[in-house]
Structures are given as C-alpha cells and as structure tokens.
C-alpha cells in the first residue's frame, strides 16, 4: 500500500493541484519573509492560507506517517491517511479555509508513569493529527523564537540532555540548592479561556482560533461515552506541547523578571539558588504566582527545596564534591531493575534467545538516553546484578544435574568443580553466583550474546 500511495501524495501537494478561489487570492497577495527565511502571508488574518500551503501539508503528512501511532475514535490507521486525504482533499481544505472543520473526540488511553500511577493520554484520530501537525509547523516557527532560552521541552533543536547540562552549569557556578517544582496534573488542568487568551494575542486569524478551540473542546471518548472537555490540553496530539509551552511562558517570564536561574522542560521546572532559605522564599512566591495567575496547583508531595544531589531531574542527578558530574538517578536505576526483572523472569516458558533479544533491545534504548551520565559508579552494581540475573536464568534452563554438568564441562569448567555445582542442592540464585557458573558464563560470553555493557569499566 505504501508504494501505491506515493504518487497520490505527490499529485495532492503539487503546484498544479486544484485550488479554490480563496487560495488563489492568497497566492496573489503580498508576502513577507521572516528572519529565518520562511515566508508567511503579510496579512496576519490569513494565517489559515499559510497552514494550507502544499509544502506545509506535505511535511505534516510525512511527520504523521513517520510518528505512526494508534488509531483514534474513527478507527482509521496511519497507513490509510494518504488515500483518505487524496480522496477528500477538496472538502477538507474547503472546511479549513471556511472555518468549518470539526475535530473528533480524542480516545482516552492510560499508560503507567515511570514514577508510579497512570498517565491519561488523549489520542486524536489520524486526520486530526494531520491537521494539528500542519498548524503546529506554522505556529511553532513563529512562536518558538519568543520563548525563554531556559525552556527546553518539545522545542526544535533542544533536548532533555541540554536541560540537564544547563542545570549542571548552575550547580558548578555555586547554586547549591534547587527548588524542584512539580505541577499537579498540569496537562489536565490548563484553563481553556486563559490559554485561548494567550493564543489570541499572537493569532489574529479567527479561523485558526476557532480550530484550536475546537481541538481543546473536542471531548473525550472513555468507557464508550463521550465527555466534554472544559479544561486541559490532552497529551497525545501534536499541538498540545506547543500550547503547554505557550501557557507556561508566563512562568518563564516571571522567573526571568526575578533574576532567577532556572531550567524548565515541559511541566518539570527546577530553580537554582545559593541557600536553603532563599529556596524556601522562592518556593512560596512561585506557588502563589502559579495559583493566582495561572490557576495551577503545585504538588506539595513531589515538590521540595533540597540539594540537587538528592533530587532527580529528567532521570539524572549529580555527584557531590568539587567536580560536579552527571549520574543516573536512583529512581531511574530502580525502574531499570524492575524492567530487567520483568524481562528475565524464570517462568513463562521463554527461550534464552527470546529473553536476550528483548533485553538487548531495551538496554540499547535505555543507554541511548542515559549514556549522557558522566559518573558510572552506581551502575557497576547494576551491571554485576544484571549478569547475575542472566546466569541464574541460564542455570534454570539447564534443568537436570546431568545437563548442568555437561554444559559446565563444555565451557571448560574443571571436572570436580562442575560435578560439585551440578549436584548441589543449593538454590539457583546462590549457585549462579558461584565460581563454576561464573567461569562458564563469563563477561565475554554475555558480550558475544550482544548484551551491551552498562559501564565502560564493568568488570564484575
């Protein structure tokens, strides 16, 4: 299906595709160029024409196809989107330009949070994701340069690693206390009227304002019933991160006005100060600002004034001493252990090949993010424990004393040592830590299996 869709995509977004009168008039109008080189209509009230530009829509379609994702309430899959857009393009474009596009309700999906509990996602249908992505690309290009330099979440050419490095820089400069702010259910509590007021200050095209309001008020399908949404920006749509950054831009401005050193990644915000007393004063002032000005609530159970070494920021923490280095936080290590336990459980009838394949895939993804850590001392114990888990799994797969003896001997374990281990009545966990099993299943053996090392100096 993918190959047959490609010509239709090219025809749909080609300059010769049919255009309505409104689009032709927009094309003849004067255009201005931004500092970044992007053109946009000189008339700010014709923003929708820019959103419907063929080049912008083509990029939006490619992005939605690349991101994939599950179907929304209408059941349409991402693979069917190009054909649907091709067949219904004229009516879709006409509805957008006339301000008549009606978003579908989002599908409620719950996923577990890394820190416990469940996170509620709102999955829009793929057509709504396509339209949201087209709107996002135009608005983000205009809005992003105006956002704070200390904001890193969901912005082009910015990452969580950059946010962690910025926090490290503040600590090195002597800001030894952190005001760790956690906003309670932020994405579910954003006030629609306040948010639309902020959008209206930047967008003059009433069709775009109506479209964004429509996405916010589309409703939620949960348990077979559609409920109205009167607040919040459902996580799961392309437009939600940009709207959340816009809403919290006032917080960034307030922190900057006070001359504070801070780093914000979405709704995770850390403010760095020189003393605990200053931190408590900042905490009270910012809590008051968030409550009265933005109608948001600070989660007092998760927020605190403490040293950065005792807090976790985006999965990382920091070492003590004269040299401040990044390390994997204790909470992240605990989640790693839980996942490894799940993947290496000894029951379930899975083969060693399947266990290794799943574990290797997970560890490579984990390391692609946490390799940013500079201090690996707390990972050496985890690596030792991981190999112990695998030895225990393999020992359990050697089900009988006869097979265990044969496998040990095949791996060059001395006859007496192999016989003693194979005939022992001790448990699998204890035996897998013994000399015989460690000789048979060495670190080199696990490297050949493709298990990536968690530390460069792992020598357990």
């Amino acid at each position: 299906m993918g190959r047959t869709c490609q010509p239709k995509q090219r025809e749909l977004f080609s300059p010769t595709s049919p255009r309505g009168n409104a689009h032709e008039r927009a094309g003849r109008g004067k255009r201005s160029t931004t500092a970044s080189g992007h053109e946009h209509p000189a008339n700010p009230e014709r923003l929708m024409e820019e959103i419907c530009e063929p080049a912008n829509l083509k990029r939006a379609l490619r992005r939605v196809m690349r991101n994939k994702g599950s179907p929304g309430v209408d059941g349409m899959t991402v693979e069917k989107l190009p054909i649907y857009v091709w067949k219904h393009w004229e009516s879709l474009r006409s509805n957008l330009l006339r301000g008549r596009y009606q978003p579908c309700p989002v599908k409620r999906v719950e996923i577990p949070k890394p820190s416990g509990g469940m996170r509620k996602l709102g999955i829009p249908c793929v057509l709504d994701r396509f339209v949201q992505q087209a709107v996002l690309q135009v608005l983000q290009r205009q809005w992003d340069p105006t956002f704070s330099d200390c904001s890193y979440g969901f912005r082009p050419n910015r990452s969580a690693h950059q946010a962690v490095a910025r926090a490290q820089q503040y600590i090195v400069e002597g800001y030894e206390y952190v005001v760790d702010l956690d906003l309670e259910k932020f994405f579910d509590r954003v006030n629609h009227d306040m948010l639309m007021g902020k959008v209206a200050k930047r967008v003059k095209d009433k069709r775009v304002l109506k479209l964004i309001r429509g996405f916010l008020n589309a409703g939620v399908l949960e348990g077979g019933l559609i409920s109205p949404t009167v607040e919040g920006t459902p996580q799961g749509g392309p437009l939600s991160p940009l709207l959340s950054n816009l809403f919290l831009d006032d917080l960034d401005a307030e922190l900057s006005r006070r001359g504070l050193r801070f780093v914000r990644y979405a709704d995770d915000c850390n403010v760095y100060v020189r003393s605990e007393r200053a931190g408590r004063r900042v905490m009270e002032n910012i809590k008051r600002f968030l409550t009265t000005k933005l109608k948001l609530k600070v989660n007092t159970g998760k927020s605190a004034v403490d040293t950065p070494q005792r807090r976790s920021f985006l999965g990382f923490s920091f070492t003590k001493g004269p040299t401040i280095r990044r390390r994997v936080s204790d909470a992240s290590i605990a989640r790693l252990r839980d996942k490894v336990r799940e993947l290496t459980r000894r029951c379930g009838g899975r083969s060693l090949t399947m266990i290794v394949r799943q574990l290797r895939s997970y560890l490579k993804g984990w390391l692609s993010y946490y390799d940013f850590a500079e201090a690996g001392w707390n990972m050496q114990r985890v690596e030792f424990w991981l190999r112990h888990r695998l030895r225990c799994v393999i020992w359990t797969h050697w089900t009988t004393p006869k097979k265990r003896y044969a496998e040990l001997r095949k791996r060059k374990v001395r006859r007496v040592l192999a016989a003693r281990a194979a005939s022992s009545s001790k448990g699998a966990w204890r035996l897998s830590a013994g000399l015989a099993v460690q000789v048979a299943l060495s670190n080199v053996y696990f490297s050949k299996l493709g298990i990536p090392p968690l530390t460069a100096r792992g020598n357990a």
Side-chain angles (χ1 to χ4, degrees):
M1 180 180 293
R3 285 192 292 269
T4 60
C5 291
Q6 293 305 314
K8 295 185 177 182
Q9 289 182 44
R10 289 195 291 270
E11 292 173 20
L12 170 62
F13 298 117
S14 68
T16 59
S17 61
R19 299 188 179 190
N21 294 333
H23 194 285
E24 292 173 358
R25 289 193 298 270
R28 290 194 295 267
K30 294 181 179 179
R31 306 180 72 87
S32 61
T33 305
T34 63
S36 59
H38 297 285
E39 291 187 347
H40 62 81
N43 187 348
E45 295 185 359
R46 301 188 67 80
L47 187 63
M48 186 63 79
E49 277 72 18
E50 184 176 1
I51 292 171
C52 292
E53 282 287 335
N56 185 56
L57 294 172
K58 187 175 181 179
R59 285 198 300 123
L61 183 61
R62 282 202 304 262
R63 176 58 66 89
V64 172
M65 296 290 291
R66 186 164 64 247
N67 290 345
K68 299 182 179 181
S70 60
V73 296
D74 60 356
M76 185 192 301
T77 62
V78 171
E79 291 75 18
K80 295 180 180 179
L81 178 62
I83 296 177
Y84 180 90
V85 173
W86 165 251
K87 288 182 177 180
H88 301 87
W89 170 238
E90 286 304 318
S91 60
L92 173 61
R93 184 175 173 279
S94 176
N95 287 335
L96 287 171
L97 290 174
R98 295 179 181 181
R100 296 178 180 176
Y101 183 85
Q102 293 293 329
C104 292
V106 299
K107 183 171 68 175
R108 176 70 77 205
V109 177
E110 292 188 348
I111 61 172
K113 290 182 179 181
S115 57
M118 302 298 291
R119 173 178 285 116
K120 292 184 178 182
L121 299 182
I123 307 300
C125 65
V126 292
L127 185 61
D128 285 348
R129 296 210 292 268
F130 166 60
V131 175
Q132 284 195 37
Q133 182 65 35
V135 175
L136 168 69
Q137 290 169 175
V138 173
L139 295 185
Q140 189 169 57
R141 186 171 65 237
Q142 297 179 6
W143 296 359
D144 192 77
T146 69
F147 291 155
S148 170
D149 186 53
C150 297
S151 168
Y152 290 88
F154 309 112
R155 296 182 60 187
N157 304 315
R158 287 173 174 256
S159 68
H161 288 171
Q162 292 175 335
V164 174
R166 183 74 170 264
Q168 183 182 16
Q169 176 187 339
Y170 290 145
I171 301 169
V172 171
E173 291 173 357
Y175 295 88
E176 299 178 351
Y177 283 85
V178 60
V179 181
D180 189 352
L181 290 166
D182 184 273
L183 301 179
E184 187 172 306
K185 297 182 179 179
F186 165 71
F187 287 94
D188 299 328
R189 292 179 181 268
V190 172
N191 184 285
H192 285 180
D193 292 334
M194 293 180 64
L195 175 58
M196 288 307 303
K198 299 177 188 300
V199 175
K201 291 180 180 179
R202 296 170 178 251
V203 174
K204 301 306 178 185
D205 192 324
K206 293 182 179 179
R207 296 166 299 176
V208 178
L209 292 174
K210 182 181 178 181
L211 181 62
I212 294 176
R213 172 73 80 166
F215 284 125
L216 293 175
N217 295 340
V220 176
L221 177 65
E222 188 173 15
L225 299 174
I226 296 178
S227 305
T229 48
V230 295
E231 62 179 0
T233 58
Q235 293 175 270
L239 202 52
S240 181
L242 178 65
L243 294 178
S244 66
N245 273 333
L246 175 64
F247 195 82
L248 290 175
D249 192 50
D250 282 357
L251 171 61
D252 298 342
E254 177 66 13
L255 294 172
S256 297
R257 186 184 67 81
R258 294 172 178 266
L260 296 170
R261 274 74 174 171
F262 72 96
V263 184
R264 183 176 66 80
Y265 191 94
D267 57 333
D268 290 330
C269 185
N270 278 7
V271 184
Y272 293 86
V273 294
R274 293 190 182 275
S275 67
E276 184 176 3
R277 181 179 178 183
R280 298 195 181 281
R281 183 175 64 252
V282 169
M283 173 70 83
E284 291 304 315
N285 291 337
I286 299 305
K287 282 172 61 176
R288 190 181 306 113
F289 174 83
L290 290 168
T291 303
T292 58
K293 299 295 184 180
L294 299 182
K295 309 301 180 185
L296 296 174
K297 185 178 180 181
V298 175
N299 188 331
T300 55
K302 295 183 178 180
S303 301
V305 177
D306 208 337
T307 60
Q309 289 78 11
R310 298 177 59 180
R311 304 298 294 180
S312 175
F313 182 52
L314 302 177
F316 293 92
S317 190
F318 303 93
T319 61
K320 297 180 181 179
T323 303
I324 304 298
R325 295 190 295 170
R326 301 180 296 269
R327 67 177 181 87
V328 182
S329 70
D330 295 340
S332 299
I333 290 177
R335 290 193 293 270
L336 170 65
R337 283 176 173 269
D338 289 341
K339 186 64 177 181
V340 170
R341 287 190 186 97
E342 177 187 338
L343 294 175
T344 59
R345 60 186 186 276
R346 283 173 275 170
C347 58
R350 295 177 303 151
S351 66
L352 177 64
T353 301
M354 181 180 296
I355 291 173
V356 168
R357 183 171 63 248
Q358 293 176 341
L359 183 62
R360 183 171 59 228
S361 176
Y362 172 74
L363 290 178
K364 284 184 177 179
W366 192 90
L367 286 168
S368 69
Y369 181 75
Y370 286 102
D371 254 357
F372 190 60
E374 297 171 311
W377 60 267
N378 58 343
M379 294 304 302
Q380 293 177 14
R381 294 194 302 270
V382 177
E383 190 162 37
F384 178 89
W385 170 81
L386 171 62
R387 289 196 291 264
H388 192 173
R389 291 278 306 182
L390 287 172
R391 289 177 181 126
C392 187
V393 168
I394 296 171
W395 184 257
T396 305
H397 283 184
W398 300 340
T399 52
T400 64
K402 182 177 180 180
K403 185 173 183 179
R404 288 171 177 173
Y405 177 79
E407 292 289 348
L408 292 174
R409 288 291 296 143
K410 185 168 63 176
R411 289 166 172 79
K412 310 301 182 184
V413 178
R414 288 183 291 110
R415 182 178 288 105
V416 175
L417 190 60
R420 188 181 304 155
S423 61
S424 174
S425 60
K426 296 177 182 177
W429 181 255
R430 187 171 178 181
L431 283 170
S432 59
L435 179 60
V437 180
Q438 292 203 36
V439 170
L441 305 175
S442 64
N443 298 349
V444 175
Y445 171 79
F446 291 121
S447 297
K448 290 180 179 179
L449 284 181
I451 302 296
L454 300 182
T455 62
R457 294 179 290 109
N459 54 6

